[in-house]
Amino acid sequence: MSRVMVTGGAGYIGSHVVKLLGEYGYDVLVYDDMSNGNPWAVLYGDLVEGNVGDEGKVSKVLKEFSPDIVLHFAAFIQVNESVNDPIKYYENNTLNTLRLIKTMLKNGVNKLIFSSTAAVYGIPSDLPVKEEHPLSPINPYGQSKTFVELMLKDISYAMGLKYISLRYFNVAGADPECKIGQAYRESTHLITRALKTAKGEYEKLQIFGTDYPTKDGTCIRDYIHVMDLAEAHILAMEYLNEYNKGNVFNCGYGHGFTVKEVVDMAKEVTRVDFLVEETDRREGDPPELVADSSKIKRELEWKPKYDDLEFIIKTAWEWEKKFSSQ
Ligand code: UFG
């Protein structure tokens, strides 16, 4: 398997995976509508501008490039926005993914790695959460990805689609070589917000809720370095090639940090004692989301290299400083 089409490859996670694919010598084609992507983030392969729901354009690209597999990152990802504008999420994340799969199958491409999310679990009843946990999302973003997971199963059964869904936990950090990193115009993610506050872009960082049933009252998340996640995609591709069947894997380290622990580490790394304000809970936040990652470690032999919150925040900080000066 050597030819890889990457939808959303100009975005945060997609561009890191493209970098790793390029370094491993794969032929890459990035397909991105540039709604949240940046051309400079595509370090390998050609970039074609288009939406995954555009069946004509996707068909043309599939015919010309003839990929062995599609890695599908293109999606909207903001939980809050999804609550206020669910149609935007169901249309782009669910419907357009269906259109993409339909077009792939029409063109004889039957392998897919799908970017799913821990948000499919909602508020987990058991922690760390295993892949078999019922899917019970609590917001339209999580629901839009859950629908795709359900469709993938049926389409795989009936039409021979081979797929892997990777359920990402809290992806953070940046390329250790600092060539690329998170570059959203407006980020709501904790680590990015904390670093932008340290940089002076925001007056203060708000902590959403201090009355959760956790050790310090703030939410616990499993933060995974984006390059370890990128490596998981390479392993998933190779696995799909060898075993030729559908599967689902959690992508997290299996342990979490509270919001306060992350804030403390951000202050230590940046050496800036930025202003923090404790406020009410944010709607739709589960108290704790930690992956049981034994399955991906066992079956894909995934060996994360950057399971270290300090390193995650350091790489994000290096990028954040460089990004503002670009
Ligand atoms: N938080 C703050 N202040 C902020 C930003 C976040 O206190 O300014 C808190 C949140 O309330 C939450 C934690 O920090 O408790 C992490 O929040 P993020 O927004 O960084 O990430 P989420 O856990 O909400 O969501 C992320 C992805 C989703 C994905 C989810 C699955 O953004 O796409 O992880 O774990 F679905």
Side-chain angles (χ1 to χ4, degrees):
M1 182 145 45
S2 64
R3 299 176 70 77
V4 185
M5 174 169 166
V6 183
T7 77
Y12 170 47
I13 300 172
S15 64
H16 285 79
V17 176
V18 166
K19 179 173 188 258
L20 202 59
L21 285 166
E23 286 169 0
Y24 280 129
Y26 290 91
D27 282 328
V28 182
L29 180 128
V30 170
Y31 186 81
D32 198 303
D33 70 0
M34 305 311 280
S35 58
N36 252 314
N38 294 289
W40 51 258
V42 179
L43 299 180
Y44 292 89
D46 287 337
L47 166 63
V48 177
E49 199 169 330
N51 188 278
V52 288
D54 184 340
E55 294 176 30
K57 202 164 205 176
V58 171
S59 222
K60 187 167 176 280
V61 170
L62 289 171
K63 283 195 174 76
E64 282 170 10
F65 184 66
S66 70
D68 301 305
I69 188 166
V70 174
L71 308 194
H72 178 38
F73 297 92
F76 295 134
I77 57 156
Q78 300 225 0
V79 172
N80 269 354
E81 186 186 47
S82 81
V83 174
N84 297 321
D85 194 355
I87 290 178
K88 178 173 175 178
Y89 279 71
Y90 293 128
E91 182 155 55
N92 194 43
N93 295 4
T94 312
L95 272 181
N96 284 345
T97 298
L98 182 65
R99 292 192 177 110
L100 170 70
I101 296 167
K102 195 173 93 182
T103 315
M104 282 171 55
L105 291 173
K106 261 191 199 160
N107 285 279
V109 180
N110 72 341
K111 293 195 180 77
L112 176 79
I113 308 286
F114 173 62
S115 299
S116 191
T117 167
V120 298
Y121 297 121
I123 299 178
S125 52
D126 293 301
L127 286 161
V129 60
K130 287 190 186 352
E131 286 84 353
E132 309 84 74
H133 187 283
L135 304 184
S136 47
I138 54 169
N139 52 59
Y141 166 69
Q143 187 69 265
S144 72
K145 294 276 182 174
T146 304
F147 283 142
V148 174
E149 287 212 18
L150 299 175
M151 292 184 328
L152 285 172
K153 243 188 183 172
D154 294 341
I155 297 170
S156 167
Y157 177 79
M159 304 170 84
L161 177 76
K162 314 292 175 199
Y163 74 94
I164 288 181
S165 289
L166 295 178
R167 293 182 183 151
Y168 309 162
F169 283 65
N170 286 59
V171 189
D175 164 31
E177 290 177 356
C178 209
K179 291 183 181 161
I180 48 176
Q182 198 180 89
Y184 301 137
R185 283 154 201 92
E186 189 66 31
S187 179
T188 57
H189 289 111
L190 176 63
I191 291 178
T192 311
R193 286 298 278 220
L195 298 178
K196 285 187 187 294
T197 310
K199 233 169 57 175
E201 272 185 42
Y202 299 104
E203 180 207 339
K204 61 191 175 196
L205 177 80
Q206 293 188 315
I207 293 186
F208 301 132
T210 51
D211 59 349
Y212 286 100
T214 59
K215 59 183 171 183
D216 63 17
T218 64
C219 291
I220 294 176
R221 293 289 183 274
D222 188 338
Y223 295 91
I224 167 178
H225 193 281
V226 64
M227 285 319 289
D228 276 336
L229 181 66
E231 191 70 52
H233 286 76
I234 311 278
L235 295 170
M237 277 171 47
E238 296 307 328
Y239 173 92
L240 200 53
N241 204 29
E242 233 174 278
Y243 294 93
N244 232 8
K245 63 173 185 183
N247 218 330
V248 180
F249 296 98
N250 281 341
C251 295
Y253 290 140
H255 56 85
F257 294 93
T258 68
V259 173
K260 282 188 177 167
E261 286 170 337
V262 171
V263 171
D264 288 346
M265 185 61 84
K267 287 186 173 183
E268 202 179 304
V269 166
T270 59
R271 301 210 184 103
V272 181
D273 188 15
F274 52 84
L275 186 62
V276 173
E277 179 188 41
E278 298 184 356
T279 65
D280 291 345
R281 293 180 176 199
R282 187 172 71 177
E283 207 185 333
D285 276 342
E288 184 167 353
L289 254 181
V290 173
D292 181 326
S293 50
S294 50
K295 185 178 172 192
I296 188 168
K297 286 174 181 154
R298 190 178 60 243
E299 293 188 28
L300 300 192
E301 294 179 40
W302 181 60
K303 294 184 186 69
K305 287 194 248 175
Y306 306 117
D307 179 1
D308 173 358
L309 184 65
E310 185 177 356
F311 183 81
I312 291 174
I313 296 181
K314 266 187 182 157
T315 55
W317 180 232
E318 287 312 309
W319 168 253
E320 202 53 59
K321 288 188 289 185
K322 182 175 168 184
F323 181 51
S324 61
S325 60
Q326 277 193 342

